[in-house]
Amino acid sequence: MKTCKKTKTVLMLMLIALLSTLLTSCNMKETGEGEESSGAGSDTSQENESNEPSWTYEGSGALKPDEKREIVTVSCDPSGRIEKIISEVSLKLKEDESKKPIEDISNLTEIKNKKGGEEFDVQSGKIYWENLGEDIEYEGEGREDIPVELKITYSLDENEVSPDELEGKSGKLKMRIDYINNTAIPFTAITAIFFPEGILKNVNVKNGNLTSMSSQDVVIGTALPGLSKSLNASENEVLKDVDIPEYIEITADCQNFDMDFSTTIVKNGIFADIKDSNDIDELVSSMADMRKAADSLAKGATSLADGGSQLKEGVNKYVSGVGTVKDGIHAMWEGLYALDSTSQTLIDGATSLNDGIYALDSYIGKLPDVLPATLDETERAAMENMLGELKSQIEVLYTGSTNLKNGVTQYVGGVSTIGTSIPDLYEGASTLHSEGSNLISGAASLASGSETLRDGMITFRDEGISELADFVEKDLAELDDRIKKLKKDDSGYTSYSGSAKDVKSSVIYIIETN
């Protein structure tokens, strides 16, 4: 497969610029206090055996560079198998006139100075550079694993083929790049694949797109390898429907297949801009309070519904009793003289009835004060309005009961006038009975309304607050914890070849296939 070196260089610069835009927070990190940082490995005890230094570090004190920047270029065959790793390192020096040697850490071999004439010496796993007052740029070969590797597969007409077998063939092409993250650290990978113009037709790219550049077709794709697994996305309600790209797949009709090269830029720092916050912890705490409040509301509504049911049953019994009284008055009207011997019993009954209605009226008057405190203003107003209507009906009953009592008293006081009083007495009892239907209706409405409120509050608690709390306490809190851990791991990854403590360092990987 062909390679255009000039085009490759231009493309590499473009991809680095693009990745820098996506990861604006990926500034160089300071290595943690009291520890040495490395990327794929930090076997700093490895001595450089390829260059015998003519300059020797005398152990008289050394300076650490202000910054260490590293670009790791990984050469692969067309299937993604690694053939060679070269790391280019830049040591930025602090302003210092002492000209003390520069101390660095590196697990690279075959180290070569690329810029100046500084010599170096390897002692106890550290590299000491001669200080000529200039920044130091060197390169070496890497032996450690890189954090993200490529696995590239090809198929033609649904049959998997090797890159060599595919060369010059025509048919239905499928090319897939899987990104294998060998760490628990989140990385972003941007890949550009160059094809000679006209080779591919009807191109479809999963997790990328097709563009043209310098008479070539270029597929550019982005992936976040390993992120879905690290976030447990498939089991999390927040992320289960989010498609986190893990690969690039190209399908196309190809004619005399040929591919120039591909370049992949790999960089960490996805979560660097996310600031730590206590908001999720506070939200979880608030959800626990909401659970308790919803449970109290549901219990209060249940108590109100039970009271409404009891009131309805009592009113039904009362109205039934009024009907019995009315029938009794009618019977009394027909057997006036027979009732004369039982006049005192009638007085006692009428008095008890009057007292009972008065007690009921007093009970209804107190109900607004014992309504559950969990009711909102609208519910409370509705309940108070219903109780007001009920009280009005009872007051009508009380008036009729008073008339009944007075009538009985008049009967006892003067049997001679009973005959003329009975019609009024009967009319009062009839009024009580007829108004009883309204009282029954009001009590039924109160009972029905309280039951509806109870059912609504229980549903609100079980299907609203409880589900929301479960979501916050489980899925959202778990995601927050995972992001915090990934951010911590991410901030600690600053170098491939190794970096001394207190040195700002950064690393970027360029994976090339030819």
Side-chain angles (χ1 to χ4, degrees):
M1 297 185 180
K2 301 177 182 177
T3 303
C4 176
K5 190 171 184 180
K6 182 177 179 181
T7 304
K8 181 188 297 186
T9 301
V10 172
L11 175 63
M12 200 177 305
L13 293 174
M14 291 177 63
L15 289 180
I16 292 174
L18 176 59
L19 190 59
S20 298
T21 300
L22 292 175
L23 303 174
T24 56
S25 61
C26 293
N27 296 325
M28 291 180 291
K29 314 286 185 181
E30 278 195 26
T31 306
E33 189 73 26
E35 63 181 5
E36 295 174 353
S37 169
S38 67
S42 55
D43 184 12
T44 55
S45 63
Q46 182 177 355
E47 302 259 345
N48 183 287
E49 301 175 353
S50 61
N51 294 309
E52 290 294 334
S54 59
W55 172 85
T56 303
Y57 173 60
E58 301 295 339
S60 57
L63 301 174
K64 293 177 182 178
D66 187 43
E67 298 177 6
K68 180 175 182 177
R69 300 176 181 174
E70 193 170 6
I71 298 177
V72 181
T73 301
V74 183
S75 300
C76 300
D77 67 13
S79 65
R81 185 177 63 86
I82 297 175
E83 297 176 333
K84 194 170 187 179
I85 301 174
I86 298 293
S87 178
E88 299 179 9
V89 180
S90 175
L91 303 179
K92 302 295 181 181
L93 306 187
K94 301 176 182 177
E95 292 185 8
D96 183 84
E97 297 181 357
S98 67
K99 296 297 187 292
K100 291 183 179 180
I102 307 302
E103 176 187 319
D104 185 26
I105 292 176
S106 180
N107 56 23
L108 301 177
T109 62
E110 306 297 330
I111 294 176
K112 299 177 183 178
N113 191 334
K114 291 187 62 181
K115 181 180 178 182
E118 296 91 348
E119 297 286 345
F120 67 93
D121 188 15
V122 179
Q123 295 185 16
S124 301
K126 294 182 180 180
I127 302 177
Y128 295 94
W129 288 90
E130 184 181 11
N131 190 348
L132 301 182
E134 300 291 335
D135 293 343
I136 296 172
E137 296 182 7
Y138 70 91
E139 71 174 29
E141 291 189 19
R143 295 288 186 268
E144 302 291 341
D145 293 336
I146 61 175
V148 176
E149 298 181 20
L150 307 184
K151 178 184 177 183
I152 309 175
T153 55
Y154 308 82
S155 66
L156 187 67
D157 297 328
E158 300 185 356
N159 296 312
E160 186 169 339
V161 295
S162 69
D164 292 339
E165 292 172 329
L166 183 59
E167 188 77 20
K169 299 295 194 305
S170 301
K172 190 69 175 181
L173 169 72
K174 181 166 76 172
M175 176 181 176
R176 174 167 170 146
I177 301 179
D178 287 286
Y179 301 85
I180 303 169
N181 190 338
N182 297 315
T183 74
I185 298 166
F187 283 86
T188 299
I190 300 178
T191 296
I193 310 170
F194 270 53
F195 299 92
E197 189 175 36
I199 294 292
L200 303 181
K201 301 292 184 182
N202 304 318
V203 181
N204 182 58
V205 183
K206 175 70 172 179
N207 299 323
N209 55 69
L210 177 69
T211 187
S212 296
M213 180 186 299
S214 302
S215 300
Q216 289 179 300
D217 291 329
V218 186
V219 172
I220 299 178
T222 304
L224 302 170
L227 182 59
S228 179
K229 180 179 179 180
S230 296
L231 293 177
N232 194 28
S234 62
E235 302 297 327
N236 191 282
E237 287 294 326
V238 182
L239 297 176
K240 68 178 184 179
D241 295 324
V242 177
D243 185 13
I244 300 177
E246 299 272 351
Y247 64 92
I248 296 173
E249 185 173 271
I250 305 167
T251 56
D253 296 322
C254 70
Q255 184 71 30
N256 299 323
F257 179 82
D258 188 16
M259 184 178 78
D260 288 335
F261 66 95
S262 75
T263 297
T264 300
I265 306 297
V266 177
K267 188 75 174 71
N268 63 314
I270 298 173
F271 296 110
D273 272 343
I274 298 179
K275 297 180 180 179
D276 291 334
S277 171
N278 294 323
D279 291 346
I280 299 299
D281 296 335
E282 293 173 359
L283 186 57
V284 170
S285 178
S286 298
M287 284 296 103
D289 293 339
M290 288 185 68
R291 279 185 189 271
K292 293 179 181 178
D295 190 55
S296 296
L297 284 171
K299 288 179 179 178
T302 299
S303 297
L304 180 62
D306 292 342
S309 178
Q310 292 172 6
L311 178 62
K312 176 183 175 182
E313 182 179 353
V315 168
N316 285 335
K317 290 180 178 180
Y318 167 75
V319 173
S320 176
V322 170
T324 301
V325 170
K326 184 190 72 168
D327 294 340
I329 293 173
H330 186 268
M332 183 183 66
W333 195 358
E334 293 179 344
L336 177 62
Y337 295 103
L339 292 174
D340 182 53
S341 61
T342 61
S343 59
Q344 187 58 46
T345 302
L346 184 58
I347 289 175
D348 293 341
T351 300
S352 297
L353 177 62
N354 186 254
D355 292 341
I357 295 174
Y358 179 81
L360 180 60
D361 180 67
S362 298
Y363 173 75
I364 295 298
K366 294 177 181 179
L367 282 180
D369 297 330
V370 297
L371 287 176
T374 54
L375 295 176
D376 59 27
E377 292 182 2
T378 302
E379 292 167 338
R380 178 173 290 278
M383 287 295 182
E384 289 178 351
N385 184 52
M386 261 192 282
L387 291 174
E389 293 178 359
L390 186 58
K391 182 173 176 60
S392 296
Q393 298 297 332
I394 291 174
E395 288 174 355
V396 173
L397 293 176
Y398 181 72
T399 300
S401 177
T402 300
N403 291 336
L404 175 62
K405 177 182 176 182
N406 292 338
V408 171
T409 302
Q410 290 173 6
Y411 163 76
V412 174
V415 174
S416 62
T417 60
I418 288 178
T420 58
S421 299
I422 288 298
D424 292 335
L425 186 61
Y426 182 76
E427 183 180 355
S430 298
T431 301
L432 282 175
H433 190 262
S434 62
E435 291 295 337
S437 60
N438 294 329
L439 186 60
I440 290 175
S441 177
S445 297
L446 177 62
S448 176
S450 61
E451 289 172 359
T452 300
L453 175 62
R454 175 200 61 200
D455 295 343
M457 287 308 306
I458 291 175
T459 300
F460 173 69
R461 179 194 64 188
D462 295 343
E463 298 182 10
I465 294 299
S466 292
E467 289 187 7
L468 178 60
D470 288 343
F471 170 77
V472 171
E473 293 167 356
K474 179 181 181 295
D475 297 289
L476 198 58
E478 179 192 19
L479 177 60
D480 183 58
D481 290 341
R482 287 179 178 272
I483 289 177
K484 287 178 180 176
K485 183 181 184 304
L486 286 176
K487 182 181 177 182
K488 182 179 179 181
D489 294 341
D490 184 20
S491 65
Y493 190 93
T494 62
S495 176
Y496 168 72
S497 62
S499 180
K501 65 178 182 178
D502 302 327
V503 176
K504 297 177 183 177
S505 56
S506 66
V507 60
I508 189 169
Y509 294 87
I510 301 173
I511 305 174
E512 300 177 339
T513 66
N514 293 315

